[in-house]
Amino acid sequence: MIGIQYVVTTIFFFLAAGLLAMLMRAELARPGMQFVGNQVFNELFSVHAALMIFLFIIPAFAGLGNFVIPLMIGAPDMAFPRLNALSFWLLPMAGLMMLSSFFVPGFGCGWTGYAPLCSTHQELGAVFFNMGVQWAGASSIMTALNFLVTIITMRAPGMTFWRMPLLVWANFTTSLLVVIATPFIAGSQFMTMFDHVMHTNFFNYEAHGYVLGYQHIFWFYSHPAVYIMMLPGFGIASEVISTFARKPIFGYRLMALSLMAILVLGFSVWAHHMFVSGMAPWLRVPMMVTSVVIAVPTGIKVFSWLATLWEGKLSFRTPMLFALGFVSMFVIGGLSGIYLAAVPIDIDVSDTYFVVAHIHYVLFGGSLFTIFAGIYYWFPKMTGRMYNEQLGKLHFWLTFIGFNATFFPMHYLGIQGMPRRVSDYAPRFADLNFFISIASFFLGASTLVFLYNMIVSWARGEPAPANPWRAMTIEWQVSSPPPVFNFDEVPQVVGGPYEYGVPGARHAVFGDRVAEEEEVRSR
Amino acid sequence: MSVEAGHAAHPPVAHQSSRVDARTLGMFLFIASEVMLFGSFFTAYFFVRVVNHQPWPPSPFHLPVFVAFVNTCILVTSSFTMHWALQSIKRGNRAGMQAGLTLTFLMGVTFLLTQLLEYARIGFTPHDQAFGTIFFCLTGLHGAHVFVGLTILAAMTTRAFRGHFSPEAHNGVEIGGIYWHFVDVMWIVVFTTVYIL
């Protein structure tokens, strides 16, 4: 149930952050200043990013995982239910903290909160951001710890690691990343806050502090955070694609191992965010090489999804549309990522709209599409009702078109040299910006279809059968919604999770069935 | 499915798929994240001292190495008394556990008070160059962990005197103890890097 609370709460913050983005686009529709001043514009993009990252994408995945993981591994609940509730309730605190930064002299130094701009030269709002990150970070560390303990100690009989669905693998890897990396952003936010509030000298050059230290510590978390925001999406895509292609996942073990490879490599690439920061030049090429190497495990995953689709019996339900949208959009975001990893190109397009386009292809086209896929896919299981398929498809196509119309032109603007994070721009960028703003309002409006569909279907949708997608993983073998403690009897896992099209194959069996199966096998 | 039913019933016992106890594993993972939190502060230390080539301590400041060394000995000893408490209850020796926990708690308090006195008399503040900042934040971060450890110890000691724990059920002592050992080991690292090197 906490999983559902999570998802609903994060969608609230998603809408709030989306509205901030539309205010920005309204300002950017024409050159010159229209609605908001420079400082307010800075606050808009800072809080937009902070909410989307810390209050939407990361906890939305945590929420879906919270609901699905215990079901998938055959556990009655998470390992520490009270800790789970605590980590949920820290989230609204974090979100309110960040939103209320608008009511004090605001937080306008960007979600990265670079020192010294955000430490000694900022207003009170920056401290609100520091504290908000602490709450959200503590929440995500506790959830990750909970996931890890649940996955390690509470799997059903027969559920070996190599029989776990890929979503469980993905959250296992993500949780390891969170436990190891998130304390670094906690540290960095403590340091900037101390510099601000107590006038310490962590990043004060005059007192022999090391200014660039902030960026190193921050990105040592925030690059792995990119994978924290993406790996659970990989897991959701694997579930959805395999189910709706009616085929076993291609290269199951390699899919799991490539997650692990991303985890390890993710810690060795942070300085590619700092090519123009004035850091030691010898760090550039090693960071470029490791960054490009990450494309290998990621590529393994993309090709495995394609191979899973190959000659599959595809059914284009809404979750599948979002999963396919994710694969195609993520490839574009990944490719522009390889460009950005290359030092010369990065120096050229640093701090331009090319970077904005890249991050939105990865986080919107990547993470958000998989979150939508996951919400539609498990909506029947969570609520016990079916969503409206026509509206779901309409939502997908509106989002897909609006998304591309909004963000694709930004690549071009960036290469032409339009800088990001400014409220005004040269007149020669005017036409394309006007188009982007219109497209972004279209994209914003598409969310209304989603909201209408979710609210009306939850209240009055058709009752959902236990297994509307004919999927094999355990969550679909219990009623929709599941019993209070997930299972009336403990399932017995007897095979892999994606044996679609294999005659007689089963992933898990219950109670009496266990005896029957044994009998069949002994004959 | 009603919410009331969820509150009334206890969850069924889950299938145990690992030999590791869930709470112990949780504590170890928590400690892993704590180590990384210290790691971020050690990174700041590294940048100031190694990358920026700052003298340590810069004149005219001095670090009270001897006092800190005595303090270190107290904290290390408290780890042994903690271990003694755990071994006692494993053998059913309740008095030994109570004595061990009480001694550990008292030594922890001594450590923290000594640290505070040291802060008061050390002659520089967190504003005095990056050196002062790093010194107070590293030792202060550790001090905060000692405080948390003492809170856990206080709860454990109270429970020990109320007749909780037995040779079969001593998870509370074991897991709190793991945290205390972590606080201790972390201090040795902080002491070595900040005072000695």
Side-chain angles (χ1 to χ4, degrees):
Chain A
M1 298 321 97
I2 289 176
I4 299 174
Q5 287 178 320
Y6 254 107
V7 175
V8 173
T9 313
T10 56
I11 286 177
F12 168 77
F13 286 113
F14 165 63
L15 296 175
L19 284 175
L20 298 181
M22 293 183 21
L23 286 175
M24 266 188 281
R25 279 324 309 182
E27 170 60 44
L28 288 171
R30 287 257 160 256
M33 308 303 291
Q34 282 90 32
F35 304 105
V36 296
N38 279 323
Q39 172 63 21
V40 176
F41 185 83
N42 292 349
E43 290 167 21
L44 285 176
F45 71 71
S46 304
V47 179
H48 162 74
L51 284 182
M52 282 292 188
I53 290 169
F54 297 114
L55 272 306
F56 175 58
I57 296 180
I58 296 176
F61 281 133
L64 287 170
N66 226 300
F67 180 82
V68 178
I69 288 174
L71 280 166
M72 276 189 162
I73 63 172
D77 198 349
M78 298 278 280
F80 307 114
R82 283 183 207 166
L83 190 69
N84 204 14
L86 175 63
S87 45
F88 166 71
W89 284 106
L90 286 180
L91 277 182
M93 302 252 290
L96 293 178
M97 205 84 204
M98 288 184 183
L99 277 175
S100 53
S101 73
F102 283 110
F103 300 113
V104 296
F107 160 62
C109 45
W111 78 276
T112 47
Y114 276 1
L117 176 63
C118 210
S119 55
T120 41
H121 301 287
Q122 263 295 326
E123 305 282 358
L124 185 60
V127 178
F128 280 52
F129 167 75
N130 295 150
M131 290 311 300
V133 172
Q134 301 292 16
W135 294 121
S139 155
S140 92
I141 292 176
M142 286 190 278
T143 309
L145 191 154
N146 220 336
F147 279 160
L148 286 172
V149 175
T150 309
I151 294 169
I152 293 173
T153 65
M154 292 171 74
R155 281 167 288 128
M159 178 66 92
T160 59
F161 262 72
W162 290 120
R163 280 176 179 171
M164 291 195 315
L166 284 171
L167 180 77
V168 180
W169 265 106
N171 273 287
F172 184 77
T173 329
T174 309
S175 301
L176 280 174
L177 272 172
V178 170
V179 166
I180 300 170
T182 308
F184 259 68
I185 198 175
S188 72
Q189 298 311 309
F190 274 131
M191 292 173 205
T192 40
M193 194 174 77
F194 290 165
D195 271 12
H196 186 133
V197 180
M198 309 201 301
H199 306 291
T200 55
N201 300 314
F202 279 108
F203 309 118
N204 181 358
Y205 178 74
E206 280 145 24
H208 310 296
Y210 190 72
V211 183
L212 267 186
Y214 177 81
Q215 294 188 31
H216 280 294
I217 297 172
F218 176 82
W219 286 116
F220 189 75
Y221 158 75
S222 289
H223 196 80
V226 175
Y227 303 109
I228 294 171
M229 289 185 270
M230 199 60 258
L231 298 190
F234 288 173
I236 293 173
S238 302
E239 299 299 324
V240 171
I241 287 176
S242 177
T243 304
F244 290 98
R246 312 305 305 163
K247 270 189 64 192
I249 267 292
F250 181 88
Y252 167 81
R253 287 195 179 208
L254 211 53
M255 286 291 254
L257 289 176
S258 60
L259 289 167
M260 286 291 171
I262 293 175
L263 174 136
V264 175
L265 284 171
F267 281 106
S268 63
V269 301
W270 77 92
H272 68 212
H273 295 271
M274 301 167 59
F275 286 151
V276 296
S277 69
M279 66 169 184
W282 60 265
L283 250 177
R284 282 178 173 174
V285 170
M287 288 292 166
M288 174 174 89
V289 172
T290 49
S291 307
V292 175
V293 168
I294 287 208
V296 174
T298 316
I300 290 176
K301 301 196 75 74
V302 171
F303 283 110
S304 294
W305 287 318
L306 295 181
T308 307
L309 292 169
W310 187 258
E311 297 199 327
K313 193 173 174 301
L314 309 189
S315 79
F316 294 101
R317 308 294 291 262
T318 312
M320 182 63 157
L321 288 176
F322 272 105
L324 295 177
F326 151 73
V327 175
S328 48
M329 294 303 99
F330 185 73
V331 167
I332 298 179
L335 287 177
S336 62
I338 295 175
Y339 286 106
L340 285 169
V343 180
I345 300 177
D346 182 80
I347 289 174
D348 189 43
V349 297
S350 216
D351 282 319
T352 68
Y353 265 78
F354 192 83
V355 178
V356 180
H358 165 69
I359 196 177
H360 284 95
Y361 266 86
V362 177
L363 292 186
F364 194 127
S367 309
L368 182 55
F369 275 31
T370 58
I371 290 173
F372 278 141
I375 289 176
Y376 281 111
Y377 185 63
W378 284 295
F379 185 84
K381 188 53 66 181
M382 287 182 169
T383 62
R385 294 180 184 275
M386 295 302 288
Y387 61 85
N388 183 315
E389 190 66 47
Q390 274 73 37
L391 285 177
K393 284 181 177 161
L394 179 69
H395 171 224
F396 169 75
W397 285 111
L398 293 180
T399 309
F400 189 78
I401 294 165
F403 163 73
N404 277 298
T406 305
F407 294 107
F408 202 80
M410 289 186 182
H411 288 110
Y412 180 75
L413 279 177
I415 291 172
Q416 293 298 309
M418 179 172 162
R420 63 172 182 163
R421 292 183 171 179
V422 284
S423 50
D424 191 8
Y425 49 86
R428 64 191 169 104
F429 300 127
D431 292 345
L432 215 43
N433 268 294
F434 188 66
F435 175 77
I436 290 175
S437 286
I438 300 290
S440 76
F441 296 138
F442 180 79
L443 178 60
S446 76
T447 312
L448 297 176
V449 180
F450 167 73
L451 284 180
Y452 176 82
N453 193 358
M454 291 294 112
I455 293 170
V456 172
S457 304
W458 199 344
R460 277 181 297 191
E462 277 174 52
N467 192 355
W469 317 126
R470 294 184 296 127
M472 292 189 83
T473 43
I474 308 180
E475 82 270 28
W476 299 106
Q477 318 309 323
V478 295
S479 59
S480 301
V484 181
F485 289 114
N486 287 352
F487 300 98
D488 295 328
E489 44 192 339
V490 179
Q492 171 83 35
V493 178
V494 293
Y498 304 112
E499 306 283 303
Y500 296 106
V502 180
R506 277 239 180 72
H507 177 45
V509 289
F510 287 89
D512 301 340
R513 284 278 190 72
V514 178
E516 272 172 45
E517 294 270 319
E518 297 280 311
E519 205 180 315
V520 172
R521 229 177 285 155
S522 61
R523 256 186 248 152
Chain B
M1 147 207 42
S2 70
V3 179
E4 290 75 29
H7 284 294
H10 285 284
V13 180
H15 174 252
Q16 176 81 19
S17 58
S18 162
R19 276 169 296 171
V20 190
D21 172 66
R23 284 160 296 180
T24 315
L25 180 65
M27 179 51 89
F28 275 116
L29 288 168
F30 177 62
I31 287 175
S33 79
E34 292 277 58
V35 168
M36 292 308 285
L37 180 63
F38 272 95
S40 69
F41 279 82
F42 277 115
T43 313
Y45 162 90
F46 169 83
F47 282 132
V48 169
R49 194 168 170 189
V50 181
V51 181
N52 266 358
H53 300 295
Q54 281 305 296
W56 198 270
S59 61
F61 306 131
H62 291 284
L63 287 172
V65 181
F66 180 70
V67 178
F69 175 73
V70 174
N71 222 4
T72 309
C73 295
I74 295 174
L75 201 61
V76 171
T77 317
S78 79
S79 240
F80 284 100
T81 52
M82 182 73 235
H83 189 68
W84 174 42
L86 177 63
Q87 294 306 317
S88 301
I89 191 62
K90 277 187 180 168
R91 298 200 195 89
N93 177 0
R94 181 161 294 279
M97 170 184 65
Q98 288 165 344
L101 286 177
T102 314
L103 275 176
T104 312
F105 181 77
L106 289 178
M107 278 189 272
V109 171
T110 315
F111 175 87
L112 210 53
L113 289 178
T114 315
Q115 184 91 54
L116 287 176
L117 277 176
E118 186 188 307
Y119 278 2
R121 296 175 185 183
I122 203 160
F124 56 87
T125 69
H127 320 298
D128 285 318
Q129 303 187 4
F131 160 77
T133 300
I134 302 279
F135 172 85
F136 275 99
C137 285
L138 263 178
T139 54
L141 181 68
H142 180 266
H145 283 79
V146 176
F147 183 78
V148 172
L150 283 175
T151 316
I152 298 173
L153 264 172
M156 273 156 54
T157 316
T158 316
R159 287 185 65 189
F161 278 98
R162 283 193 182 169
H164 294 205
F165 307 126
S166 67
E168 295 77 36
H170 49 264
N171 243 330
V173 184
E174 188 159 359
I175 293 168
I178 295 171
Y179 187 78
W180 190 252
H181 294 314
F182 154 71
V183 169
D184 192 8
V185 171
M186 210 63 217
W187 174 252
I188 294 174
V189 180
V190 173
F191 177 68
T192 318
T193 46
V194 173
Y195 288 87
I196 306 235
L197 287 178

